[in-house]
Amino acid sequence: MAGKKVLIVYAHQEPKSFNGSLKKVAVDELSRQGCAITVSDLYAMDFEPRATRKDVIGALSNPELFNYGMEAYEAFKKRSLASDITDEQKKVQEADLVIFQFPLYWFSMPAILKGWMDRVLCQGFAFDIPGFYDSGFLKDKLALVSLTTGGTAEMYSRSGVSGDFRYFLWPLQHGALHFCGFKVLAPQISFAPEIASEEERKAMVTSWAQRLRTIWEEEPIDCSPPWYFGQ
Amino acid sequence: MAGKKVLIVYAHQEPKSFNGSLKKVAVDELSRQGCAITVSDLYAMDFEPRATRKDVIGALSNPELFNYGMEAYEAFKKRSLASDITDEQKKVQEADLVIFQFPLYWFSMPAILKGWMDRVLCQGFAFDIPGFYDSGFLKDKLALVSLTTGGTAEMYSRSGVSGDFRYFLWPLQHGALHFCGFKVLAPQISFAPEIASEEERKAMVTSWAQRLRTIWEEEPIDCSPPWYFGQ
């Protein structure tokens, strides 16, 4: 939709990969709509995943006992966070929709993207206590997880060997995104592109591009536990 | 138990932290038993969390289209993985029990520990296809997750705002550890040490040390979905 701002946080090493194709069609389709798009290409940026003392410029609040969460909170308030963090926070702040594009590593995000979550979504910026879940600070924004898996859809079904795919989405969609207030759109899961035919891969890319045509009409999903686990 | 080998993969920046205390009493108690203990202190090692081309020494199998999982698998077979990965693999290979000690970051591991999982537990070393879950290559080893939370036990209950703590353990215990064959012992969760009294903190540390006295008598938990979600 013209005028909307989209941030794509992208975590794949290879531009010619299937994840790269999904990122590319998202940029193309959203540009065509007149959206302003920013891509954080984490591997290309060599984004730092480790949460360390280096994230605070200048003196610590309590150098005797380093507490990352507390120091990041204080540094956010004093505007003394490292610039790679504040650069990402600015992108998030400006976005109406944040899309996370990545391959599933161990039922979760690749470490480089986990590090983005750990460092960018700090207390004071994304939430406070109180000020989380439905009152998280990013509550006027949408988030969408677009991921690829190694296993097939059947493996990620309730009776499959890897369990319902919603199980592995829980920490990410509820624990991180919903905690920060994001309204979460349905995940886009491209199952097992590596063992799919070229035709099937193309169909998955097309289906993502097609979904994006009407993405601004979608309603968020409910992230609360009873629904989530079908109870 | 005398003669047993234990690897502690430890992810906290501050030795004087509560996580540091839990790590220390584990080293003390297991040493007292006559175990041989190795600690991978990830922040002190400045462990690399990013899964990149640098993890493969020499030529790639397919330089035209970089596929991390495939290249790591080939490099494992050709013994051309980066030495920080093979050093950790050697420690895992020798261990009877691997303990992961960390603070919960976004319902999951800190990125530095996620990177250890992403890079160390590669195909060929930890699993193959076929050769995963109950037939994963680390099936003669025990694993135990010992973590601290920000939220209280009540928040991490089934009716709590953050849901049953077993929800967030799923990707880690089933998706990563069980996938590699590990027999998983019950998690050790120290809830909300930051808001606990000094006395309560001491009690949590003592309770962990006491549990370790009889750790070799424990039976693994069942990681399969129906039990896991109480269905």
Side-chain angles (χ1 to χ4, degrees):
Chain A
M1 207 160 72
K4 291 283 189 186
K5 290 180 179 168
V6 181
L7 169 62
I8 302 179
V9 185
Y10 166 68
H12 200 288
Q13 305 89 346
E14 172 59 64
K16 287 177 281 180
S17 64
F18 187 76
N19 270 270
S21 300
L22 293 173
K23 186 258 289 173
K24 187 179 178 305
V25 296
V27 170
D28 291 349
E29 168 55 28
L30 293 164
S31 300
R32 204 192 49 73
Q33 295 175 19
C35 300
I37 300 143
T38 305
V39 177
S40 286
D41 183 341
L42 301 183
Y43 288 102
M45 295 157 74
D46 199 27
F47 189 79
E48 172 61 65
R50 290 163 284 216
T52 69
R53 194 260 172 265
K54 291 179 197 159
D55 289 353
V56 178
I57 298 165
L60 294 174
S61 288
N62 183 2
E64 296 304 309
L65 190 73
F66 183 72
N67 176 322
Y68 183 83
M70 192 268 283
E71 295 291 347
Y73 184 33
E74 294 302 321
F76 175 79
K77 289 188 285 189
K78 290 189 297 190
R79 299 173 184 265
S80 57
L81 277 172
S83 64
D84 62 336
I85 298 178
T86 55
D87 287 352
E88 294 304 302
Q89 289 178 338
K90 197 174 294 173
K91 295 177 194 172
V92 172
Q93 200 55 63
E94 288 173 358
D96 299 295
L97 165 65
V98 182
I99 296 174
F100 298 91
Q101 179 64 55
F102 61 97
L104 197 68
Y105 279 17
W106 293 126
F107 279 34
S108 182
M109 296 164 273
I112 199 168
L113 176 54
K114 182 58 169 54
W116 187 96
M117 298 267 174
D118 292 351
R119 299 175 66 231
V120 175
L121 302 178
C122 73
Q123 186 172 355
F125 171 70
F127 68 94
D128 210 335
I129 298 178
F132 53 89
Y133 288 123
D134 292 345
S135 46
F137 293 175
L138 307 179
K139 63 181 183 293
D140 297 327
K141 301 177 187 303
L142 298 168
L144 192 162
V145 166
S146 173
L147 63 90
T148 59
T149 66
T152 62
E154 190 281 328
M155 290 169 80
Y156 285 110
S157 65
R158 202 144 199 190
S159 55
V161 73
S162 295
D164 193 312
F165 64 83
R166 287 176 296 186
Y167 293 173
F168 71 65
L169 287 170
W170 172 255
L172 176 49
Q173 292 192 333
H174 180 70
L177 301 176
H178 182 201
F179 191 91
C180 297
F182 276 113
K183 306 287 186 290
V184 179
L185 298 180
Q188 181 77 16
I189 309 191
S190 304
F191 287 102
E194 287 186 31
I195 55 173
S197 66
E198 189 54 35
E199 202 165 298
E200 287 166 326
R201 276 199 294 276
K202 276 187 187 156
M204 286 191 274
V205 174
T206 306
S207 133
W208 172 226
Q210 278 179 337
R211 178 179 169 198
L212 288 170
R213 287 187 201 165
T214 53
I215 198 77
W216 304 104
E217 298 163 23
E218 288 190 19
E219 290 295 323
I221 60 172
D222 183 350
C223 275
S224 67
W227 171 86
Y228 203 83
F229 292 95
Q231 287 150 11
Chain B
M1 208 160 73
K4 291 283 190 185
K5 291 180 179 167
V6 181
L7 169 62
I8 302 179
V9 186
Y10 166 69
H12 201 287
Q13 304 90 346
E14 171 60 64
K16 286 177 281 180
S17 64
F18 187 76
N19 271 270
S21 300
L22 293 172
K23 187 256 288 171
K24 187 178 177 304
V25 295
V27 170
D28 291 348
E29 168 54 28
L30 294 165
S31 300
R32 206 192 50 75
Q33 295 175 20
C35 301
I37 300 144
T38 304
V39 177
S40 286
D41 183 341
L42 300 183
Y43 288 102
M45 295 157 72
D46 199 27
F47 190 80
E48 172 61 64
R50 289 163 285 216
T52 70
R53 195 258 172 266
K54 291 179 197 160
D55 290 352
V56 179
I57 298 165
L60 294 174
S61 289
N62 183 1
E64 297 303 310
L65 190 73
F66 182 72
N67 177 322
Y68 183 83
M70 193 267 284
E71 294 292 347
Y73 183 32
E74 294 301 322
F76 175 80
K77 290 188 285 188
K78 290 188 297 188
R79 298 172 184 264
S80 58
L81 277 172
S83 63
D84 63 335
I85 298 178
T86 54
D87 287 351
E88 294 304 302
Q89 290 178 339
K90 197 174 294 173
K91 295 178 194 172
V92 172
Q93 200 55 63
E94 288 173 358
D96 298 295
L97 166 64
V98 182
I99 296 174
F100 297 91
Q101 179 64 56
F102 61 96
L104 196 68
Y105 279 19
W106 292 125
F107 279 34
S108 182
M109 295 164 274
I112 200 168
L113 177 54
K114 182 57 169 54
W116 187 96
M117 299 267 175
D118 291 352
R119 298 175 65 232
V120 175
L121 302 177
C122 74
Q123 186 172 355
F125 171 70
F127 68 94
D128 210 336
I129 297 177
F132 53 89
Y133 287 123
D134 291 346
S135 46
F137 293 176
L138 308 179
K139 62 179 183 294
D140 297 327
K141 301 176 187 305
L142 299 168
L144 192 164
V145 166
S146 173
L147 63 91
T148 60
T149 66
T152 62
E154 190 281 327
M155 290 168 81
Y156 285 110
S157 64
R158 202 144 197 189
S159 55
V161 73
S162 295
D164 193 312
F165 64 84
R166 288 176 295 187
Y167 295 173
F168 72 65
L169 286 170
W170 172 256
L172 177 50
Q173 292 191 333
H174 180 71
L177 300 177
H178 183 201
F179 191 90
C180 297
F182 277 112
K183 305 288 187 287
V184 179
L185 298 181
Q188 181 76 17
I189 309 191
S190 303
F191 288 103
E194 287 187 31
I195 55 173
S197 67
E198 189 55 34
E199 203 166 298
E200 287 167 326
R201 276 198 294 276
K202 275 186 187 157
M204 287 191 274
V205 174
T206 305
S207 133
W208 171 227
Q210 278 178 337
R211 179 179 169 197
L212 288 170
R213 288 188 200 163
T214 54
I215 198 77
W216 304 104
E217 297 162 26
E218 288 191 18
E219 290 294 322
I221 61 172
D222 183 351
C223 275
S224 68
W227 171 85
Y228 202 83
F229 291 96
Q231 286 149 15

